Amino acid sequence: MTATVTRVALCTLDDLPTGLGRAFEVGGRSLAVFRGREGEVFAVDGKCPHKGGPLADGMLIGSQIVCPLHAFRFDGRSGACDQDSVCATGAYPVDVSNGQVFITVPQS
């Protein structure tokens, strides 16, 4: 069975501060969205799977999102964690078109 996904307009690129996170709710999901120095945008689940830290309060280093509670790092593209004992977080496809940021999320 194929999962149904929805592409949603999230904000403008200018609404995202470079290197810092911003929290969004999309389809009942809490998300943390980051804009890198090169303009790439990353979206992951809003809570760290380690201790539930608010990932949007973290920062972006390269393509890694740093949890504000314990400095665990999650790859913005895949959600993979840099700590072997911690599960990955969800990562979501993001695209930017004409200055508008779109995210694709599974439908609830």
Side-chain angles (χ1 to χ4, degrees):
M1 183 168 146
T2 305
T4 303
V5 295
T6 302
R7 183 174 180 253
V8 177
L10 195 59
C11 63
T12 68
L13 189 59
D14 291 338
D15 290 333
L16 298 173
T18 302
L20 300 176
R22 185 155 171 225
F24 290 90
E25 283 283 328
V26 176
R29 294 175 192 278
S30 172
L31 302 175
V33 180
F34 294 81
R35 174 184 177 186
R37 300 206 183 284
E38 303 298 320
E40 191 171 7
V41 179
F42 305 99
V44 297
D45 286 329
K47 290 191 178 190
C48 175
H50 173 229
K51 294 281 185 179
L55 290 178
D57 290 349
M59 68 172 101
L60 184 68
I61 298 175
S63 64
Q64 292 186 320
I65 296 161
V66 182
C67 177
L69 294 185
H70 296 100
F72 285 18
R73 293 181 182 208
F74 297 91
D75 185 278
R77 293 179 190 98
S78 69
C81 184
D82 69 342
Q83 303 291 316
D84 289 335
S85 63
V86 177
C87 60
T89 190
Y92 302 91
V94 177
D95 64 282
V96 179
S97 178
N98 296 322
Q100 182 71 41
V101 177
F102 295 89
I103 185 169
T104 302
V105 294
Q107 240 178 3
S108 301

